Amino acid sequence: MLELKGVSAGYGPVEILRDVSLQVGEAEVVALVGPNGAGKTTLLKTISGLIRATAGNVVYDGQDLTRASAAVIVGAGIAHCPEERKVWSHMSVEENLELGAYLVRDRGAVRRSLQDIYGEFPVLEERRTELAGRLSGGQQQMLAVGRALMSQPKLVLFDEPSLGLSPILIRQIATIVERIHQRGIAVLLVEQNVDLALRLANRAYVLGSGKVVAEDKASSLRANPSLLKAYLG
């Protein structure tokens, strides 16, 4: 479904990613792990069009999206659930969700998606008229996930969904990722909690200093703590 071919990217003259190649199959969960500063967030931003690749290609469902705008990429079926949630705090919960569907022209489909999200996250329906900034961290994470799903994606990019959450909420986030997978949606998961990421994923890549330094089945990487320690500390 998604293939990166020799992708390099960065910020101005600073190159962060160097010749990165990876794949995500249809309805597959792929984890991307690595130490802080390895380029994981930069990679997701490059896929979603927030940063331009300086070399290589981003191909999704047979379509080259390397130079496509973020709006085109969302319309193609890729949703990005960013680090630290980034909800619009001055807008209501429901307004945040509706903005996630800004490219969906069928208003009936938007209403059905809203009810689907509320069924998945009842607390969001209970607080749908409240300002998003008043939600707890865990509720904001649910809102960020719901907003991403409102675009009816085939692939969701998750950036550190467990960041700053309690162990109970981390288990909820794990359940959410599993449910998304069960719905046939592919997931590329960036997660600092390596054990969590490898438990949820089918396959995994290890990123170090902007390069892919290891790739294997997630279960195999999880069973090789010496390899993980060598790359992740």
Side-chain angles (χ1 to χ4, degrees), residues 33-110:
V33 298
N36 288 333
K40 304 184 297 296
T41 292
T42 300
L43 187 143
L44 295 192
K45 287 182 176 180
T46 303
I47 295 170
S48 62
L50 301 177
I51 294 174
R52 294 291 184 202
T54 55
N57 298 91
V58 178
V59 179
Y60 171 75
D61 203 17
Q63 181 181 0
D64 192 322
L65 297 179
T66 312
R67 298 285 175 262
S69 68
V72 168
I73 291 168
V74 172
I78 299 177
H80 189 165
C81 193
E83 186 178 19
E84 298 179 346
R85 301 174 280 276
K86 294 188 172 59
V87 300
W88 289 287
S89 59
H90 63 289
M91 301 178 72
S92 73
V93 167
E94 191 155 296
E95 287 169 338
N96 269 264
L97 291 172
E98 288 175 339
L99 278 174
Y102 76 102
L103 288 177
V104 181
R105 302 304 178 197
D106 183 343
R107 302 314 299 171
V110 173

Side-chain angles (χ1 to χ4, degrees), residues 101-163:
Y102 76 102
L103 288 177
V104 181
R105 302 304 178 197
D106 183 343
R107 302 314 299 171
V110 173
R111 288 193 296 272
R112 289 190 294 273
S113 292
L114 265 177
Q115 291 309 309
D116 190 27
I117 298 303
Y118 287 149
E120 196 73 51
F121 308 114
V123 68
L124 297 184
E125 183 172 24
E126 293 168 9
R127 307 190 66 177
R128 64 185 184 277
T129 61
E130 291 189 37
L131 295 180
R134 295 179 180 171
L135 301 182
S136 69
Q139 291 165 350
Q140 287 188 14
Q141 185 63 70
M142 294 176 194
L143 178 57
V145 173
R147 182 181 59 191
L149 294 177
M150 286 291 293
S151 66
Q152 303 176 357
K154 298 176 183 177
L155 168 66
V156 179
L157 312 176
F158 279 108
D159 196 353
E160 303 284 9
S162 75
L163 185 67

Side-chain angles (χ1 to χ4, degrees), residues 144-203:
V145 173
R147 182 181 59 191
L149 294 177
M150 286 291 293
S151 66
Q152 303 176 357
K154 298 176 183 177
L155 168 66
V156 179
L157 312 176
F158 279 108
D159 196 353
E160 303 284 9
S162 75
L163 185 67
L165 300 184
S166 68
I168 292 175
L169 289 174
I170 288 173
R171 287 195 291 272
Q172 289 183 4
I173 292 300
T175 300
I176 290 166
V177 173
E178 289 169 344
R179 287 177 181 171
I180 290 172
H181 181 216
Q182 290 166 2
R183 290 168 61 175
I185 299 172
V187 173
L188 179 56
L189 174 65
V190 164
E191 179 54 64
Q192 198 66 30
N193 185 330
V194 175
D195 183 66
L196 173 67
L198 297 183
R199 280 193 290 110
L200 293 172
N202 307 112
R203 293 186 302 109

